[in-house]
Amino acid sequence: MSDDDQQTRADFDDAVNMTASELRKWLDTDESKSVGQKSGGATESTGHESGRHIVRILGKEQADFTDDDYTHMRKVVGYVSRHSKQRPHGDVHDTPWRYSLMNWGHDPEKR
């Protein structure tokens, strides 16, 4: 594994603070399915699809990660970083902002 892959994994582990089980359960909720952009007539949002990929990554051994997994980890890190900076004022518990982040494996109320 390259140094870049090691850094990607470390950054991903910092960004994703939900377990595979927590994320899987969250993705089954109506709230999870209610947020995010859907492109090209898709029925599933980009973030929801990302969450399913994150669950698969979390279920793998590091030696089994593919180039696609590392690419997705970098995408997750970037999304969580950008979206976290857009935190709205006040209570965020029941907000689309939080729901979107949770689809990407990050619960801003957890740490």
Side-chain angles (χ1 to χ4, degrees), residues 57-73:
I57 290 170
L58 293 174
K60 288 183 176 185
E61 296 293 324
Q62 190 164 344
D64 296 328
F65 291 157
T66 64
D67 289 343
D68 185 51
D69 291 333
Y70 283 109
T71 297
H72 194 71
M73 285 185 220

Side-chain angles (χ1 to χ4, degrees), residues 8-9 12 14 16 45-47 51 58 61 71 95 97-99 102:
T8 296
R9 177 60 197 259
F12 177 82
D14 286 342
V16 175
S45 73
T46 302
L58 293 174
E61 296 293 324
T71 297
T95 62
W97 176 81
R98 178 175 177 241
Y99 297 165
M102 290 175 70

Side-chain angles (χ1 to χ4, degrees), residues 19-96:
T19 66
S21 176
E22 289 170 328
L23 184 52
R24 191 177 304 107
K25 183 177 177 181
W26 164 251
L27 292 171
D28 284 338
T29 68
D30 289 339
E31 292 86 354
S32 170
K33 296 171 187 171
S34 73
V35 295
Q37 294 180 337
K38 297 174 179 134
S39 60
T43 58
E44 182 179 38
S45 73
T46 302
H48 199 271
E49 182 181 355
S50 172
R52 290 187 303 104
H53 193 160
I54 293 165
V55 168
R56 289 191 302 273
I57 290 170
L58 293 174
K60 288 183 176 185
E61 296 293 324
Q62 190 164 344
D64 296 328
F65 291 157
T66 64
D67 289 343
D68 185 51
D69 291 333
Y70 283 109
T71 297
H72 194 71
M73 285 185 220
R74 286 187 284 278
K75 186 175 180 180
V76 170
V77 169
Y79 181 86
V80 169
S81 175
R82 284 188 312 278
H83 202 64
S84 293
K85 292 173 186 170
Q86 300 170 1
R87 183 184 184 104
H89 297 289
D91 182 13
V92 298
H93 185 75
D94 291 317
T95 62

